[in-house]
Amino acid sequence: MLYQRSSALFAEAKNYIPGGVNSPVRAFNSVGGTPVFIKKAKGAYLWDEDGRKYVDYINSWGPAILGHAHEAVVEAVKKQAEKGFSFGTPTELETEIAKVIVEGVPGIDKIRMVSSGTEACMSAIRLARGFTGKDKIIKFRGCYHGHADSFLISAGSGAATFGMPISPGVTQGTAKDTLLADYNNIEQILSLFEKNHGEIAAVIVEPVAGNMGCVLPENNFLTHLKQICSTNGALLIFDEVMTGFRLAFGGAQEVYNVEADLVCYGKVIGGGLPVGAFAGRSEIMDHLAPIGDVYQAGTLSGNPIAMAAGLTTLEILRDNPTIYLELKNSTSQLAIGLGSILNQKNIPHTINRKGSMMSLFFQVSSVSNFKDASEANHSLFNHFFHHMLKEGIYLPPSGYETWFISKDITEEEISKTLEAMEKLEY
Ligand code: KE4
C-alpha cells in the first residue's frame, strides 16, 4: 500500500499533536488523503518514510532556495553548533548578517531578527502603530502574514483552505482595527483612507502574493500604494517573507523599484532554520526597545546557529547573482512545459509566476485577487496533486499555495515533472 509507514506515523502523531501536525497546511486537509512523512532531503529531492523519492516543489515553503542540505550551509551549521547553540547575548554573527542585508537591500538602514515570519509581521505592525500613533491597518483578502491576531481576518494560506474569515479566538476589539481590501484594487484603498481619515497606521501587503496561490501586482499597484501611504501619513509594509531574497537579492523592492517603509523577512533569510526579521529606515527602527519605546523581544532571536545557516545562504546568493536568472529560466521552462501539456489535454488553466514562484489554477482565465483564486477548480487541483504525488512529484498540498523552485531543480527534474503531467487523466 502506498504511504503505508506515513499512514501509521500519521495515526500515531494524531494521538499527541492536534491534527497530527505542527502546522495545519501539512495535514493535507485541502487535498485529502494522508500527509507524507519525510525522512530526509537532499538537493531537489525528498525521501519519505516509505522510501519513495520525490522532486520537491515546496522546499520547506520557500527556505531551501539553494536546494536541501547545501554542503556549505550544512558545514556552517555544524561548525557553529560545536561552539554552543544559543547564549542570549549579542554575537558578531548577528552583525555580519545584518550588514549583508542592509548593504544588499534598498531602503533599509537597520534590521531586527526574530524567529518566524509571524513574529516579523506582528512586530512590524506594532512598530508602525507606535511610530504613527494610529491604530488601524489595511491588509488584503487572501494575503497571509502569519497567525498573529491582527492578520487572521480573511487570511490566505492555510486559513484560506479552512475558509475561516475570522479565526475563533480573535477578539472583535482586534478585528475592528484590521481593514480589508481586494488585492490590486486601488479604488478600495483610496476609499478606506477617506473613511478612516487619520486612523490608518499601515498597509501591509505581499508585494507578490503567494498565499492565495501566486498573484502578481498589476497596473503599478505597489507604486500607487506607496503614494497613498505617504500622502496619508501611513507606513507601507512589504511582507517579503516569501519574496525576500527569492525574487532577487533585493527582493520585490528591487524587482519593482518600490521602497517600502518597513520590510518583513523569513524563510530564505534563515536557510531553513527558524529566522524572521523586519527592517526599515533608522527614523522608524530606532523607535524599537531598547533605544525606543516600542517593545519587542525574543529569547532565540538572532541565535548563532540560525544566523550561520542564514548568513551562508545569503552570501552564496549575493556572490552568485546568476542563480536568480537560472531560477527564473527553470521556472519559465517548467511553466511553459506544463501549459502546453494542459493545452494539448484541453484543460483550461492559468499559470501565474514571478521569478522562482509559480502557481497553477484550473479552469479560470486569469487570477488577480482572492475571489479569482477561489473560483478556480480546486477539486481538479486536488486530483492533480495526488496524481503528481504518485508519480514522485511533491507539490504544495493546496491550490492556495505557491510552488517554490530551487537552484537544484534542473532539466532532469523538469522533464520528470512534465512526464508525470503527460499521464494526467481526469
Ligand atoms: P511563519 O510564521 O510561518 O514563519 O511565516 C508567516 C508568513 C508570513 N508572511 C508570508 C508572506 C508567508 O508566506 C508566511 C508563511 N507562509 C506559509 C506558506 N504559505 C507557511 C507554511 C505554514 O503555515 O506551515
Side-chain angles (χ1 to χ4, degrees), residues 113-129:
M113 293 290 169
V114 293
S115 296
S116 70
T118 295
E119 260 196 282
C121 294
M122 74 182 219
S123 308
I125 290 293
R126 184 181 311 134
L127 177 56
R129 286 171 163 152

Side-chain angles (χ1 to χ4, degrees), residues 23 25 116-118 144-146 157 206 211 239 241-242 267 401:
S23 198
V25 73
S116 70
T118 295
Y144 179 72
H145 307 292
S157 184
E206 292 181 56
N211 287 289
D239 175 353
V241 167
M242 271 191 184
K267 299 181 192 281
E401 296 289 355

Side-chain angles (χ1 to χ4, degrees), residues 58-66 246 266-273 313:
I58 289 196
N59 284 296
S60 179
W61 301 96
I65 191 169
L66 296 178
R246 173 166 283 280
K267 299 181 192 281
V268 171
I269 195 177
L273 268 68
T313 300

Side-chain angles (χ1 to χ4, degrees), residues 142-153:
C143 282
Y144 179 72
H145 307 292
H147 65 90
D149 283 3
S150 296
F151 303 132
L152 287 185
I153 290 104

